Amino acid sequence: VKVTAIAGGTGAAKLLRGLAACLAPRDLTVIGNTGDDAEVWGLYVSPDLDTITYALAGRLDTARGWGLAGDTFRCLGAMAELGAETWFNLGDRDLATHLARTAALGAGAPLSIVTADIARSLGVDARVLPMSDDPVRTRIRVAGATAAGDDWLTFQEYFVREKALVEVLEVAYAGAPRARPAPGVVEAIAEAELIVICPSNPVTSIGPVLAVPGIPAALTAARAPIVGVSPIVSGTAVSGPAAQLMRVRGIPVSPVGVAQAYAPWLGVLLIDSGDRACVPGLLAQGVTPVLTEILMPDHEREVALARRVLEAPGV
Ligand code: GDP
């Protein structure tokens, strides 16, 4: 079956590794969030695309959930000596990705081509697409003055520098109204036999993808069943600030809220067996719940969950 997955970073990486183990690599297309993309030391860093690519290449540092396994941080140390800002950690081998990407973008290549080239170089046969070649940036408005005195933060300033500890008032996707889906994105949604919404932050990982004009319409028009995996288990996020950000958006911090964020096109949602109480709320929204084990602490469970996704009702 031809699968198109919409993905953020760490949560998505686990399910994608599982899917890659069950599918022919060419049958998997991943549409990645670029709302977290950032400029660090003049380099273009694309955390979610890199996490996806490294995961599919078998090179992701699975303990951290980002960066390359076995990487070193000597350049980071040297930058600190030079007085540069070093709250955003970049590994030495990882830096090569950002250097190559920045050079290619500077020479005029679109992000979609650069992303495909990096994936190919790392031996990834699945297709990795950015949601858009145009800049879309998640911005977080926080209460009170932060250390740097600004109240609209970039996603990385909020998540990494402030460790998501500040009170969030508002989330925006700068540039989204003018962004176009990257070449191949709408086609990958239209031609898929199964569309998977990875267990990713609905506000800052899937939200920016859905903010690109044309993508929600493509999902609504898609022939394929659309199956999601909840990033929320028993009223809280498995990791990261999804719960806080869903609250800011006024959506319930539960699988029902996840389904609400993906209305009207979500068909099936895999939820944790302990979240049985959410079944009526999901059915009321026209979403078919599948109760199963949705935590992926090891590769075996990544593959098991991927199998459940591939066996979902209607697939
Ligand atoms: P990031 O926020 O950019 O790192 O990327 P994601 O949005 O993909 O990852 C964070 C989301 O994944 C959070 O909302 C987590 O709750 C979710 N998540 C992480 N690990 C797991 C897991 O093993 N199972 C499920 N169901 N969700 C997970």
Side-chain angles (χ1 to χ4, degrees):
V1 352
K2 270 168 57 180
V3 176
T4 295
I6 300 185
T10 51
K14 303 186 215 175
L15 183 64
L16 291 171
R17 265 195 309 256
L19 285 169
C22 300
L23 297 169
R26 279 181 184 75
D27 284 343
L28 179 61
T29 298
V30 186
I31 300 170
N33 167 43
T34 58
D36 299 2
D37 289 9
E39 192 174 293
V40 182
W41 309 333
L43 302 176
Y44 186 109
V45 180
S46 193
D48 284 353
L49 293 177
D50 290 342
T51 298
I52 293 164
T53 304
Y54 294 164
L56 292 173
R59 306 262 311 258
L60 186 70
D61 185 312
T62 49
R64 282 198 305 256
W66 54 266
L68 287 159
D71 211 347
T72 51
F73 292 85
R74 300 188 59 179
C75 182
L76 190 76
M79 288 300 275
E81 267 178 40
L82 293 176
E85 276 195 344
T86 51
W87 52 262
F88 195 83
N89 295 297
L90 292 176
D92 296 327
R93 299 290 305 257
D94 188 28
L95 266 174
T97 302
H98 313 311
L99 285 164
R101 177 191 291 118
T102 306
L105 290 172
L111 183 62
S112 50
I113 299 286
V114 180
T115 303
D117 286 346
I118 293 171
R120 195 173 317 110
S121 303
L122 294 182
V124 173
D125 290 322
R127 200 148 63 112
V128 183
L129 298 172
M131 66 196 201
S132 179
D133 280 336
D134 303 315
V136 176
R137 295 294 174 266
T138 300
R139 296 279 183 263
I140 313 272
R141 190 162 70 85
V142 299
T146 63
D150 41 10
D151 66 349
W152 275 104
L153 304 186
T154 66
F155 180 76
Q156 303 305 341
E157 286 168 342
Y158 160 71
F159 187 60
V160 182
R161 191 186 72 197
E162 304 298 332
K163 302 184 171 56
L165 293 173
V166 283
E167 189 196 341
V168 176
L169 302 175
E170 198 178 340
V171 179
Y173 309 115
R178 290 176 309 282
R180 294 151 301 172
V185 164
V186 168
E187 293 79 355
I189 292 170
E191 288 160 15
E193 292 165 324
L194 166 63
I195 297 167
V196 177
I197 311 300
C198 292
S200 294
N201 189 320
V203 181
T204 52
S205 287
I206 307 297
V209 181
L210 302 179
V212 176
I215 293 185
L219 289 166
T220 304
R223 299 174 284 125
I226 306 186
V227 178
V229 175
S230 176
I232 303 295
V233 173
S234 54
T236 172
V238 178
S239 64
Q244 184 193 13
L245 297 175
M246 287 172 78
R247 234 171 265 126
V248 169
R249 276 285 158 103
I251 46 180
V253 184
S254 74
V256 176
V258 175
Q260 224 168 289
Y262 303 154
W265 38 264
L266 185 73
V268 177
L269 188 64
L270 274 64
I271 67 173
D272 192 78
S273 307
D275 280 328
R276 187 171 294 276
C278 295
V279 167
L282 291 171
L283 291 173
Q285 289 190 64
V287 172
T288 305
V290 172
L291 290 140
T292 187
E293 176 62 68
I294 63 167
L295 292 177
M296 296 169 283
D298 52 43
H299 188 62
E300 214 180 311
R301 299 235 241 150
E302 294 171 356
V303 177
L305 185 55
R307 289 224 175 85
R308 295 289 287 171
V309 167
L310 295 168
E311 289 161 359
V315 178

